[in-house]
């Protein structure tokens, strides 16, 4: 029987092994482990990839979000608006900085921040709107930027799942004031450990993030600490890994889109499939279907040798940590709660074969219609 893993990073490493081993060995040979030249090289190439002026390599995506908010002076008394359906890391930095996370429901079709609810949630205390490009599909950035501009508030894109996605031709990360990327190993661009980046078109914000990630100083200012920062630097070994992989990212995203197109053609008439705006380019970090009897479908797929995932089984308002520290609770975000109960992530990774894709389509059709 055809087995289909949810992702296969081992297989991907096999396709990269000689170049990857040489790149990592070069860092070890040089012993330039902190702020090595590979970090600068990665920043230059990722800037070009995102079509923005500034990229700052950092320790992970969660810290990238935190530094983006700190660069905008977010703190106690400020409100930051986030969508209900996302990984908890979207709102953790808001709480860590002592600000208030204002959660809004998502749109049932796009699964991204509902812009009508967003407009209604803006108050005099709103400082930042933080949309997430969930599963690799862009949030409605045109509408979000218009709402932000009317209200005089800033926008931080959580682009952790959207490396290379486009909205009206503009890459994820190039629309908001700042954006955060994660290079967690399973992301479209993944390190061999933790890593992340902040990107921005604003030189002043970029300089602030550079200071925050390295003890409040810029390169060359060894003992001149102008602000209280921390150590949120990108590991040089991870930068070397990312340099090898970034060259393949366009091709990998193209393959993800091919697989997604095959899934949508084969499954569109039996299950809910991802919505795509004609003007956007989705990079399908995940391919998520919607089914009412999810657990049954999932176990039938498991019997057919197909691994699946759930992203995410709970909206933000149902996590214990959030229920206990905010006014939010069950029933607040019906759309996100319904999605959490019905979404199922199918395998999608660039190395997946056409035979595996066909097997998944057949198995889902059988599981749903019998
Ligand atoms: C992965 C992810 C993050 C966090 O990134 P880490 O690198 O794991 O810290 C934040 N937001 C979203 C939407 C993510 O998917």
């Amino acid at each position: 029987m055809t087995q289909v893993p949810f992702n296969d990073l081992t297989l991907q490493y096999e396709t990269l092994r000689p170049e990857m081993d040489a790149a990592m060995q070069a860092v070890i040979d040089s012993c330039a482990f902190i702020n090595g030249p590979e970090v600068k090289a990665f920043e230059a190439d990722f800037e070009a990839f995102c079509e923005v002026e500034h990229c700052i390599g950092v320790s992970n995506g969660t810290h990238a979000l935190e530094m983006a908010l700190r660069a905008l002076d977010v703190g106690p008394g400020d409100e930051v608006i986030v969508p209900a359906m996302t990984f908890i890391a979207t709102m953790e930095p808001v709480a860590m900085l002592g600000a208030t996370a204002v959660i809004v429901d998502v749109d049932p079709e796009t699964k991204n921040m509902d812009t009508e609810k967003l407009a209604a949630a803006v108050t005099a205390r709103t400082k930042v709107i933080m949309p997430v490009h969930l599963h690799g599909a862009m949030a409605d950035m045109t509408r979000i930027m218009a709402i932000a501009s009317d209200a005089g508030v800033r926008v931080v894109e959580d682009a952790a799942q959207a490396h290379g996605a486009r909205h009206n031709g503009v890459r994820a990360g190039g629309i908001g004031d700042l954006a955060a990327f994660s290079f967690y190993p399973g992301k479209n661009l993944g390190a061999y450990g933790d890593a992340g980046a902040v990107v921005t078109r604003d030189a002043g914000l970029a300089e602030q993030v550079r200071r925050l990630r390295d003890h409040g100083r810029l390169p060359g200012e060894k003992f001149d600490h102008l602000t209280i920062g921390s150590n949120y630097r990108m590991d040089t070994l991870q930068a070397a890994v990312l340099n090898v992989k970034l060259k393949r990212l366009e091709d990998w995203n193209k393959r993800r889109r091919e697989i997604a197109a095959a899934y949508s053609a084969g499954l569109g008439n039996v299950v809910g499939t991802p919505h795509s705006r004609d003007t956007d380019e989705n990079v399908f970090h995940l391919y998520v279907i919607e089914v009412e009897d999810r657990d049954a479908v999932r176990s039938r797929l498991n019997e057919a040798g197909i691994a699946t995932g759930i992203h995410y089984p709970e909206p933000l308002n149902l996590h214990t940590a959030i229920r206990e520290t905010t006014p939010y609770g069950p029933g607040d975000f019906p759309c996100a709660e319904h999605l959490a109960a019905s979404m199922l992530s199918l395998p999608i990774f660039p190395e997946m074969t056409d035979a595996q894709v066909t097997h998944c389509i057949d198995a889902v059709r059988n599981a749903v219609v019998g």
Side-chain angles (χ1 to χ4, degrees):
M1 183 175 64
T2 312
Q3 295 287 324
V4 190
F6 189 65
N7 194 353
D8 196 339
L9 294 176
T10 312
L11 184 60
Q12 186 187 73
Y13 172 57
E14 286 309 325
T15 70
L16 305 171
R17 188 193 278 271
E19 193 181 342
M20 186 62 83
D21 289 4
M24 296 183 75
Q25 190 60 50
V27 175
I28 299 167
D29 288 341
S30 75
C31 290
F33 297 115
I34 304 297
N35 293 336
E38 288 79 4
V39 176
K40 257 207 165 70
F42 174 73
E43 291 174 339
D45 289 348
F46 198 64
E47 261 160 43
F49 178 85
C50 294
E51 300 167 4
V52 296
E53 284 78 6
H54 309 280
C55 167
I56 304 99
V58 302
S59 39
N60 59 62
T62 311
H63 285 166
L65 286 167
E66 187 178 324
M67 277 180 284
L69 294 178
R70 273 199 67 186
L72 296 173
D73 277 327
V74 169
D78 296 327
E79 293 177 353
V80 177
I81 304 179
V82 300
M85 178 47 67
T86 182
F87 184 53
I88 194 166
T90 305
M91 89 155 258
E92 278 172 325
V94 180
M96 293 296 281
L97 293 173
T100 302
V102 173
I103 305 175
V104 297
D105 208 350
V106 292
D107 176 88
E109 203 172 25
T110 66
K111 308 185 188 86
N112 278 320
M113 192 179 257
D114 181 323
T115 52
E116 294 311 308
K117 302 217 164 91
L118 165 64
V122 173
T123 73
R125 292 179 3 154
T126 305
K127 187 120 176 198
V128 174
I129 300 170
M130 203 152 68
V132 177
H133 309 310
L134 194 71
H135 305 155
M138 295 293 291
D140 184 353
M141 292 306 291
T142 301
R143 183 81 187 104
I144 290 169
M145 295 309 289
I147 292 168
S149 148
D150 285 349
V153 307
R154 313 300 286 265
V155 175
V156 172
E157 296 173 66
D158 181 343
Q161 304 188 358
H163 321 69
R166 288 186 192 273
H167 173 71
N168 290 340
V170 185
R171 282 238 145 124
I175 305 173
D177 294 282
L178 300 122
F181 286 90
S182 165
F183 308 118
Y184 178 85
K187 299 282 159 86
N188 289 35
L189 178 63
Y192 286 176
D194 278 310
V198 176
V199 306
T200 179
R201 288 162 293 137
D202 184 305
L205 293 174
E207 182 174 317
Q208 287 202 60
V209 174
R210 273 185 209 288
R211 287 188 183 283
L212 291 170
R213 79 153 166 197
D214 193 15
H215 306 293
R217 71 190 163 189
L218 292 177
E221 301 174 339
K222 195 151 191 181
F223 295 109
D224 195 6
H225 308 273
L226 294 193
T227 43
I228 295 295
S230 189
N231 176 359
Y232 283 176
R233 294 181 299 242
M234 176 182 272
D235 186 293
T236 304
L237 272 169
Q238 299 307 335
V241 169
L242 293 168
N243 287 336
V244 172
K245 289 195 176 194
L246 180 54
K247 289 180 266 177
R248 275 98 175 166
L249 184 54
E250 296 276 16
D251 286 343
W252 285 340
N253 281 343
K254 207 175 295 164
R255 177 64 183 151
R256 283 176 184 272
R257 274 197 286 277
E258 257 172 42
I259 296 167
Y263 273 151
S264 293
L267 298 174
N269 61 348
V270 291
V271 296
T273 53
H275 165 90
S276 286
R277 221 178 274 113
D278 290 342
T279 52
D280 287 5
E281 249 178 65
N282 188 330
V283 289
F284 292 98
H285 171 56
L286 295 168
Y287 188 92
V288 176
I289 60 171
E290 288 163 68
V291 285
E292 289 315 315
D293 48 350
R294 178 183 59 203
D295 293 346
V297 171
R298 196 172 192 205
S299 78
R300 277 178 225 136
L301 292 178
N302 188 45
E303 284 158 25
I306 296 165
T308 54
I310 299 176
H311 304 89
Y312 296 94
E314 306 219 272
L316 289 183
N317 57 308
L318 298 187
H319 296 300
T320 307
I322 293 171
R323 277 158 58 168
E324 285 178 354
T325 58
T326 71
Y328 296 112
D332 287 344
F333 306 106
C335 180
E337 289 170 46
H338 180 259
L339 286 170
S342 55
M343 290 191 294
L344 184 63
S345 308
L346 300 182
I348 187 163
F349 52 96
E351 299 76 16
M352 207 175 164
T353 65
D354 290 342
Q356 286 176 316
V357 176
T358 304
H359 179 60
C360 288
I361 292 169
D362 293 344
V364 172
R365 292 188 69 90
N366 284 333
V368 175
V369 295

